[in-house]
Amino acid sequence: MTPEEIQEIFFVECEESLAAAEGGLAACKAGTQDADTINAVFRAVHSIKGGAGAFGFAALQAYTHTFETLLSDVRDGLVELPPLVDLLLRALDTLSDHVNVARDGGAPPDDVMLLQELSAAQAANAGAAPAEPAPVQPDPAPVPAPAPAVAQAGDADEEDPDFGDAFDELDLDAMFGDMAAAAPAPEAEAEAEAEPEAETSFHVHLRPHAGAMLNGGEPLLLLREIVGLGGECVMCDVSKLPPLDTLDPCQGYLGWSFRLPGGVSQDAVREIFDFVGDDCSLIFGEAAEMPPPMISAPAQAIPAPAFAPAPAPAPVPVAVAAPAPVAPVAAAPQSAPAPAAVAPAAGAPATAAAAAAAVAAGNGGQSIRIDLAKLDRLIDSVGELVIAQAMMAQRLSNEGVTANEELTLLETLTRDIQESAMSIRAQPIGTVFSRVPRILRELASSTGKHVRLELIGEATELDKTVIERLGEPLTHLIRNAVDHGIEPAEERLAAGKQADGTLTLSAEHRSGRILIKIADDGKGIDRTRVFAKAVEKGLLSPDAQLSPEEIDNLIFAPGFSTAASITSVSGRGVGMDVVRQNVKDLGGRITIESEEGKGTTFTLTLPLTLAISDGMIVSVANESMVVPLAHVVECLRPKAGELQGLGQRSMFNMRGRFIPVISVRDVIGASGPSRESDNGVLIVVDTESAGQAALLVDDICDQRQFVIKSLDTHFRAVDGVAGATILGNGQVALILDVDGLVGGAMGEPERQAA
Amino acid sequence: MSPITLPARCDRATVESLLPDFVAAVGTGALRIDASQVTHVGQALLQLLVSARRSIESVTIDASPALRDAAAVTGLTVELFEETRA
């Protein structure tokens, strides 16, 4: 794996962590949190911090550090949660910005004020030692061990901003058990010797061993941290370094002495090395001897613990030069047994809690992370399999072999595989919904409208590609709903509604498609105003007669900006026409239901997947074409007299209503003998832009699933054609772009009157 | 003896792969190490370079800023770059 790939995973995990934190804080806000909720938020932020440190995103790391410290205080019950929820939510929003900056570049968000607020809210308000991750509480918290331990674990991750091959470590949760094991003892010692540090400078001798360089660990980065504390290298011991021919790159031969200024506590130095633990010997005191290297393999290192379970008799005599009593060195091997014993106690609750949270979050099962490209190849192959299966069935039926048991079995299996492959790509729509609270918070601060969010069907699954591309239109619709739909509080109260608006987002499966509804309880679309605006913009003639639905649909017209006319807040550069285009690109449709004074509901109807769809196979001039079933309203065979010419266009009298008839043969420019129109079949289709129309085709052959192949990538974009597919007989059939076809055939002027 | 060129990223794995080249240079008298591209320095690299300076009669290192910085942090500037070693 390249560092770039690992970094990519980090950002994916950031997204997950942010979503988890968002969920946790939302629960806190709703007052439904339990003991583990804030812990889960802490873990999420902490994971981001660890990764940020490992990848060298200094700004992100520094920010998460402050955030995490406050969360840690909250978790330990040192500060009250309820008054902080809003601050934490804002902090989370800024964290999300930080992550985006780390990923995409750009100016880091301005977090100075926020950081001050976060610091001010901290329990002990760390004070003198801002460098300390978890302020050592003067009175030991009820369970002091796990908290600082975990916090330090994160710091330890910082050791490696550069060395990409190290990132098996990124599985932070898995590490915490070990961390908790390594840290408590030194921490306890640190508290025990809480005597004032000397004002004079002190020395530390350190020697990283082989283990410190394993797994991509890099002692040099730890040295840099010492330098960051104000340390200065006074000596590098190269005496143990063998000549080249016996040099083993895996061993640590160098030892260093650093002089640190008096203001720095020894604990601060120890913290840097907590993570490497036994893999780096650390001795304080100027006169102390440099710890010897542990060149040998573990076999010889093991006897060390036998020295003493008691910390006092260190293998290396510690000469006390500084006035401060020198505690037995944290990282020295002999201290190993004690933390090891603590490990199960400290580690277990954390692990159990993590597991519980995972289960609670619905991720209880085992999972693996797959490269999306691999998955897409699988989906492609399955698509080919579906085609091949259809081809074989067709061939066999041509040969007169039908109703074959094996063939039926194969068909079932093919469909099963196809569904399984599709379900791999499926993700719960909750990932999109989880961004909504933030949007609402931002809107609340910019418009002053407070909106309650109701989510229904977050677990509804749909294709990842659809999910990814759903974010933008959904965001716009939500902004729109809050900005234009929901009234200001006074107006709402006057109308007999609750002061806070309600936004309901729901998702559900319905007959192979997914319905997403964005409903607000605002004032509804002001049709008079929309109509007037449309006339003013020259979209309509003043005397046009439109049904309420048609007026509603006007807001999708390009250039029709309700934003500019009704309020000034929006203007995000995405108009409703773009929203409709986005939805259409996804093979979906958007409809509006609005009731004056009651609210507006936008309904997005989307396909579950972009790869396979249902369609009607029709023949036109001996060519097979596919009409996506999503558009089809009904099919009928016109009787003589039901088709009437109206100028150049022929119209079809559908139960007293005239709809335009579009001959697909003419539109595609097919040659060959033209059939009589009353000999063909009419397919009544619904379109986004042009209302209903009837497509005249020669015949309907079949209705079935088809695998969508992009024409753009294999050929080029063609007007009126959405893509292509391969039929059972091996023939390529074009998929009609019904919207484009009808819109194009009817032309702009008539479209407005339609 | 042609110079040994170090890659940008010199971590432990890089050093392991470079070691045979260095060992082969022992006894050839003079070695030139082109470290001008180095951006990531690890302890393993420092050990390799120091060991090389001590094992081979004359070792000249064209150091990148990153390497010089790492040497400064670790107190190895003299050890690595001075003509007459302390």
Side-chain angles (χ1 to χ4, degrees):
Chain A
M1 266 198 162
T2 66
E4 288 71 27
E5 285 169 341
I6 298 164
Q7 190 159 319
E8 194 48 45
I9 292 176
F10 164 62
F11 285 120
V12 171
E13 285 177 348
C14 275
E15 290 296 323
E16 289 168 4
S17 299
L18 286 172
E22 177 86 49
L25 287 178
C28 294
K29 178 135 185 145
T32 57
Q33 80 271 27
D34 58 25
D36 196 49
T37 311
I38 199 75
N39 209 3
V41 176
F42 174 84
R43 277 196 304 272
V45 174
H46 183 70
S47 307
I48 296 178
K49 174 180 153 183
F55 288 103
F57 296 120
L60 176 61
Q61 187 193 358
Y63 177 80
T64 40
H65 177 73
T66 310
F67 191 5
E68 174 193 86
T69 309
L70 178 57
L71 283 170
S72 156
D73 285 358
V74 172
R75 182 188 54 179
D76 297 345
L78 300 169
V79 289
E80 283 291 307
L81 171 64
L84 287 176
V85 171
D86 284 326
L87 172 63
L88 292 176
L89 281 167
R90 274 190 293 134
L92 184 65
D93 292 347
T94 306
L95 174 57
S96 168
D97 292 340
H98 264 293
V99 170
N100 289 340
V101 167
R103 177 177 46 212
D104 308 327
D110 181 16
D111 55 11
V112 180
M113 291 299 292
L114 195 57
L115 283 175
Q116 282 175 1
E117 280 186 69
L118 289 171
S119 304
Q122 283 165 22
N125 204 2
E132 286 189 329
V136 178
Q137 301 305 327
D139 53 332
V143 194
V150 173
Q152 284 158 3
D155 279 3
D157 298 336
E158 294 158 14
E159 67 159 348
D160 192 341
D162 294 321
F163 285 73
D165 41 349
F167 298 126
D168 2 351
E169 302 170 8
L170 281 183
D171 186 4
L172 291 166
D173 283 337
M175 298 166 66
F176 284 168
D178 298 344
M179 297 305 153
E187 190 62 30
E189 286 163 15
E191 284 182 29
E193 52 140 4
E195 290 173 38
E197 295 289 343
E199 277 306 307
T200 50
S201 62
F202 63 96
H203 281 73
V204 59
H205 304 290
L206 56 104
R207 188 182 287 279
H209 303 300
M213 294 198 288
L214 281 178
N215 300 324
E218 185 43 64
L220 248 56
L221 296 163
L222 304 180
L223 299 188
R224 283 183 194 280
E225 287 198 41
I226 295 188
V227 172
L229 287 177
E232 187 192 350
C233 180
V234 289
M235 193 265 287
C236 176
D237 175 19
V238 293
S239 59
K240 303 294 190 294
L241 196 65
L244 272 180
D245 44 2
T246 52
L247 181 79
D248 177 356
C250 299
Q251 301 293 345
Y253 299 101
L254 300 178
W256 282 277
S257 293
F258 274 79
R259 181 171 56 233
L260 285 132
V264 177
S265 73
Q266 294 192 1
D267 293 343
V269 177
R270 281 202 196 92
E271 262 166 26
I272 295 175
F273 291 91
D274 269 342
F275 179 59
V276 277
D278 298 350
D279 291 328
C280 181
S281 300
L282 202 62
I283 291 188
F284 289 92
E286 186 171 5
E289 278 182 36
M290 179 67 73
M294 297 198 299
I295 305 298
S296 41
Q300 273 177 299
I302 284 169
F307 268 81
V316 181
V318 177
V320 182
V326 176
V329 175
Q334 75 278 6
S335 65
V342 181
T351 322
V359 172
N363 300 328
Q366 288 191 324
S367 66
I368 57 166
R369 204 176 284 281
I370 312 174
D371 182 15
L372 197 57
K374 282 186 189 168
L375 201 51
D376 285 342
R377 276 202 295 281
L378 173 67
I379 305 275
D380 266 2
S381 307
V382 171
E384 298 296 332
L385 178 65
V386 172
I387 293 169
Q389 187 271 335
M391 286 166 82
M392 192 172 81
Q394 179 122 13
R395 170 76 59 91
L396 288 174
S397 100
N398 289 351
E399 302 288 327
V401 186
T402 51
N404 184 316
E405 200 177 313
E406 288 81 4
L407 198 62
T408 320
L409 186 64
L410 183 64
E411 198 175 326
T412 318
L413 284 173
T414 310
R415 190 161 280 258
D416 280 355
I417 294 174
Q418 185 193 322
E419 279 172 10
S420 306
M422 287 299 158
S423 73
I424 297 177
R425 277 189 67 101
Q427 285 195 320
I429 195 164
T431 53
V432 182
F433 284 179
S434 67
R435 293 183 214 159
V436 177
R438 170 170 191 183
I439 301 171
L440 292 182
R441 281 199 296 277
E442 286 176 352
L443 285 169
S445 65
S446 61
T447 65
K449 296 177 190 173
H450 290 274
V451 177
R452 210 172 55 245
L453 179 66
E454 282 179 14
L455 297 177
I456 301 167
E458 297 153 272
T460 312
E461 291 195 324
L462 70 166
D463 190 270
K464 182 175 167 62
T465 319
V466 181
I467 292 223
E468 279 168 358
R469 290 161 63 181
L470 197 58
E472 192 185 321
L474 208 58
T475 305
H476 189 76
L477 286 172
I478 288 163
R479 284 187 193 285
N480 224 48
V482 176
D483 196 11
H484 307 313
I486 291 173
E487 316 92 322
E490 314 84 62
E491 229 173 278
R492 291 183 61 87
L493 290 170
K497 300 182 190 175
Q498 286 185 320
D500 286 359
T502 304
L503 185 74
T504 310
L505 288 184
S506 66
E508 60 174 315
H509 282 288
R510 190 176 291 171
S511 58
R513 296 177 72 77
I514 184 161
L515 290 190
I516 299 168
K517 290 189 179 176
I518 300 108
D520 66 66
D521 65 345
K523 56 180 177 281
I525 293 177
D526 184 344
R527 298 201 173 100
T528 330
R529 197 156 181 175
V530 169
F531 186 82
K533 190 82 193 169
V535 172
E536 181 194 320
K537 293 255 174 190
L539 298 168
L540 279 181
S541 63
D543 52 353
Q545 292 296 313
L546 274 78
S547 68
E549 288 73 30
E550 286 167 336
I551 296 179
D552 290 348
N553 277 313
L554 283 174
I555 65 172
F556 292 123
F560 188 91
S561 168
T562 47
S565 61
I566 297 177
T567 73
S568 57
V569 173
S570 268
R572 299 266 168 184
V574 189
M576 289 296 277
D577 59 322
V578 179
V579 170
R580 185 171 65 175
Q581 190 56 45
N582 286 344
V583 174
K584 205 181 125 187
D585 290 346
L586 288 170
R589 309 180 48 198
I590 180 166
T591 51
I592 314 176
E593 289 163 50
S594 180
E595 195 174 339
E596 191 125 15
K598 293 276 181 60
T600 309
T601 302
F602 288 91
T603 306
L604 276 62
T605 317
L606 294 169
L608 289 178
T609 163
L610 299 180
I612 296 181
S613 183
D614 278 300
M616 203 173 253
I617 303 188
V618 300
S619 73
V620 179
N622 291 329
E623 293 287 338
S624 296
M625 305 247 162
V626 181
V627 180
L629 212 56
H631 290 282
V632 176
V633 179
E634 61 178 293
C635 303
L636 29 85
R637 203 175 274 280
K639 296 189 192 72
E642 281 182 326
L643 284 179
Q644 293 171 8
L646 198 72
Q648 289 181 322
R649 188 175 306 287
S650 87
M651 301 293 274
F652 170 65
N653 182 352
M654 190 173 83
R655 295 183 280 276
R657 228 180 109 209
F658 282 92
I659 59 172
V661 174
I662 293 158
S663 166
V664 176
R665 175 187 293 267
D666 294 346
V667 175
I668 64 170
S671 54
S674 172
R675 280 217 210 175
E676 289 303 310
S677 49
D678 55 352
N679 220 353
V681 180
L682 286 177
I683 302 175
V684 179
V685 291
D686 225 356
T687 64
E688 295 293 337
S689 51
Q692 288 194 336
L695 299 180
L696 178 66
V697 299
D698 293 350
D699 213 350
I700 295 175
C701 313
D702 198 1
Q703 180 182 320
R704 41 168 293 189
Q705 285 201 314
F706 60 93
V707 180
I708 301 170
K709 302 275 178 188
S710 163
L711 206 59
D712 303 20
T713 51
H714 298 293
F715 177 53
R716 62 180 172 81
V718 178
D719 284 345
V721 177
T725 188
I726 302 170
L727 299 178
N729 56 10
Q731 217 188 344
V732 173
L734 297 180
I735 302 166
L736 295 178
D737 169 16
V738 174
D739 270 326
L741 204 67
V742 175
M746 292 173 61
E748 285 299 306
E750 288 181 49
R751 194 191 115 172
Q752 301 307 336
Chain B
M1 183 77 197
S2 60
I4 295 179
T5 306
L6 303 184
R9 175 175 286 269
C10 288
D11 53 13
R12 204 191 48 166
T14 318
V15 169
E16 281 182 70
S17 65
L18 286 170
L19 185 61
D21 292 346
F22 277 80
V23 173
V26 175
T28 56
L31 174 63
R32 193 166 191 89
I33 299 169
D34 178 4
S36 57
Q37 308 300 316
V38 174
T39 56
H40 294 83
V41 181
Q43 179 175 351
L45 178 70
L46 293 178
Q47 292 184 163
L48 177 72
L49 294 179
V50 172
S51 179
R53 290 270 293 183
R54 298 185 154 228
S55 310
I56 301 171
E57 204 168 307
S58 161
V59 175
T60 322
I61 302 173
D62 296 330
S64 65
L67 180 56
R68 285 215 174 259
D69 176 55
V73 166
T74 54
L76 286 170
T77 305
V78 171
E79 184 68 39
L80 286 177
F81 305 126
E82 296 268 307
E83 273 310 316
T84 51
R85 260 166 281 155

